[in-house]
Amino acid sequence: MPEPKVDDVRIAVIGLGYVGLPLAVEFGRRGPVVGFDINPARIRELRSGRDSTLETSPAELRAAKHLRFTTKVADLRRCNFYIVTVPTPVDEFKRPDLQPLQRASETVGGVLKRGDIVVYESTVYPGATEEVCAPILERRSGLKLNRDFFLGYSPERINPGDKEHRLVNIRKIVSGSTPAAARRVQAVYSTIVLAGTFLASSIRVAEAAKVIENTQRDVNIALVNELAMLFERLGIDTEEVLTAAGTKWNFLPFRPGLVGGHCIGVDPYYLTHKAQQVGFHPEMILAGRRTNDNMGSYVVTRVIKLMTARRIIVPGSRVLVMGLTFKENCPDIRNTRVVDIVRELRGLGARVEVHDPWADPAEAEREYGLCLVSRPRPRTYDAIILAVAHKQFREMGAERIRALGRRPHVLFDVKYVLPRGASDGRL
């Protein structure tokens, strides 16, 4: 393929969520970029200079002077470098749901021209870009891969809510469907990624590298979750054990907890799906997933035991769950496992209220049918579960949190928000 100057690149970013918007903003500081999303409300919000994901500030949006937001497919036609950043979730049976990726490929295929490059950033299993996306692009456009158009894969590494590890200072993996396409993709990303790029030998290698990053974290968290269950039976404080073990230079600092979000709680299922397609049963990965998926139930069991010990009857009790987002100091509620706690307690007859100063109430109701409580009432709750370590909860401290409970009540700390001894139980 010809290798025109980077200045000739006209970029379109398809999907303006946690991954796509920071990309569009960084590229939009340097040259013309079209930011496309199918959600009109999202486009209106961004045009007004506001980002509800909090990944970009109003000042950063203003600095992207060459960035144009649109819902119109026709606005993509003048572009020649398409970056697809749509979600890749799992369905209710924990199988990869590629519908957003397929729909995005249909959209791009409808405007694809000779010489164009399509780069995917969405997390997929090894082979998905060339086996699933490429045929859609060919069929929709009437063009032929690696003759008329080219592919790239550059996996996203965005960590929602993290203001230290940002797009520009995280090394970027890049790859292409031909060596020339790979160099072209690398050249484009190098204009914004100050930390540099790593050129993978193939798209499949880049896909596999991405999916194992979070699979590794998932398995490690599953290990400490299992250890927390063991230490509880042994009457040992898990945090004390991990702190002591952490004095060794190569001990990995993982902590127990709920594992949700759009990456760690999802990506392993993409890898195991592909593994099973080729006749391989990934026992350790699936075992880790089972452990982490059941942590909500384990937390409820611990809380019920504590309530029973205080002669608090669970049916009819009032329970406050503090936190809904999948991680602290972040508004992202995708695949949050806090809902497992809420649903199980409600199934046992408890009246559960959820308070989260970071979550969008409308989104919580739309996604999970939860009506968030803006101000928990003092001396109201039989049990309080600190599920997310938001800075607001840390600042409250044990005394103010305790003031929300009746006498007697149970305070359970899932995320080590409070010092040891300040709660009635923790993982």
Side-chain angles (χ1 to χ4, degrees), residues 110-183:
V111 296
L112 205 58
K113 306 173 299 301
R114 283 182 172 81
D116 289 357
I117 295 181
V118 185
V119 180
Y120 290 86
E121 290 215 3
S122 307
T123 302
V124 291
Y125 53 77
T129 302
E130 292 159 302
E131 296 166 7
V132 176
C133 301
I136 295 174
L137 294 171
E138 289 184 324
R139 175 178 53 77
R140 188 78 171 85
S141 67
L143 303 175
K144 183 69 176 175
L145 174 64
N146 293 335
R147 184 191 70 189
D148 303 316
F149 74 94
F150 304 86
L151 286 179
Y153 185 78
S154 182
E156 61 91 2
R157 282 175 164 171
I158 294 293
N159 184 24
D162 190 337
K163 300 306 179 184
E164 179 183 354
H165 302 97
R166 307 298 299 274
L167 171 64
V168 298
N169 57 25
I170 301 173
R171 195 174 183 192
K172 199 90 166 71
I173 297 175
V174 295
S175 63
S177 55
T178 67
R183 291 193 299 272

Side-chain angles (χ1 to χ4, degrees), residues 10 30 47 51 58 104 111 164 226 276 294 330 384 398 408:
R10 299 182 299 278
R30 293 159 175 79
R47 285 175 176 170
D51 171 25
V111 296
E164 179 183 354
E226 191 167 86
Q276 290 167 338
N294 289 325
C330 169
I384 302 167

Side-chain angles (χ1 to χ4, degrees), residues 15-25 42 46 51 56 61 67 69:
L16 298 174
Y18 285 84
V19 175
L21 182 62
L23 265 176
V25 166
R42 177 64 168 163
L46 294 174
D51 171 25
T56 57
L61 284 171
L67 173 58
F69 298 113

Side-chain angles (χ1 to χ4, degrees), residues 172-421:
K172 199 90 166 71
I173 297 175
V174 295
S175 63
S177 55
T178 67
R183 291 193 299 272
R184 180 70 167 149
V185 172
Q186 185 177 37
V188 171
Y189 278 102
S190 293
T191 63
I192 64 167
V193 181
L194 304 179
T197 59
F198 177 88
L199 182 58
S201 62
S202 68
I203 287 176
R204 289 169 65 89
V205 167
E207 291 168 326
K210 167 57 181 175
V211 80
I212 71 164
E213 289 176 10
N214 289 314
T215 299
Q216 182 187 66
R217 286 182 57 79
D218 192 46
V219 171
N220 276 286
I221 296 171
L223 172 62
V224 294
N225 275 336
E226 191 167 86
L227 291 173
M229 298 179 198
L230 170 61
F231 294 147
E232 190 268 329
R233 292 195 178 192
L234 295 175
I236 303 172
D237 184 80
T238 303
E239 176 69 5
E240 287 194 351
V241 175
L242 295 176
T243 299
T247 59
K248 188 180 181 187
W249 72 92
N250 60 353
F251 186 81
L252 301 177
F254 290 94
R255 290 296 184 269
L258 305 172
V259 184
H262 68 298
C263 286
I264 301 178
V266 172
D267 293 1
Y269 287 120
Y270 274 75
L271 187 57
T272 57
H273 170 81
K274 187 64 176 181
Q276 290 167 338
Q277 278 188 344
V278 297
F280 179 79
H281 184 71
E283 295 184 12
M284 180 177 290
I285 299 171
L286 287 172
R289 275 285 76 228
R290 283 192 297 270
T291 297
N292 288 339
D293 277 346
N294 289 325
M295 285 306 292
S297 179
Y298 175 72
V299 168
V300 170
T301 299
R302 292 279 306 278
V303 171
I304 289 173
K305 286 182 178 180
L306 291 168
M307 292 174 72
T308 302
R310 287 163 174 74
R311 294 182 170 83
I312 301 172
I313 300 173
V314 176
S317 64
R318 302 190 74 94
V319 179
L320 175 66
V321 175
M322 299 182 70
L324 176 63
T325 61
F326 89 90
K327 63 179 292 188
E328 64 275 7
N329 307 326
C330 169
D332 195 348
I333 64 172
R334 289 176 297 173
N335 194 40
T336 174
R337 299 276 45 98
V338 177
V339 295
D340 298 343
I341 295 174
V342 176
R343 289 168 179 166
E344 185 150 347
L345 283 168
R346 285 182 173 174
L348 294 169
R351 293 177 289 175
V352 183
E353 295 180 2
V354 181
H355 170 61
D356 193 312
W358 286 82
D360 180 353
E363 188 179 5
E365 185 168 7
R366 182 173 63 251
E367 294 296 323
Y368 301 111
L370 296 177
C371 184
L372 299 184
V373 175
S374 58
R375 291 185 179 179
R377 292 162 292 180
R379 298 180 297 278
T380 297
Y381 305 99
D382 300 294
I384 302 167
I385 302 175
L386 274 167
V388 185
H390 289 317
K391 61 182 181 182
Q392 289 91 337
F393 301 158
R394 291 189 184 277
E395 291 167 358
M396 286 179 70
E399 186 175 346
R400 289 175 60 194
I401 293 173
R402 287 276 192 192
L404 300 172
R406 292 175 175 172
R407 292 186 179 179
H409 69 269
V410 166
L411 173 57
F412 192 88
D413 188 356
V414 175
K415 293 292 292 182
Y416 300 93
V417 174
L418 305 174
R420 186 188 180 196

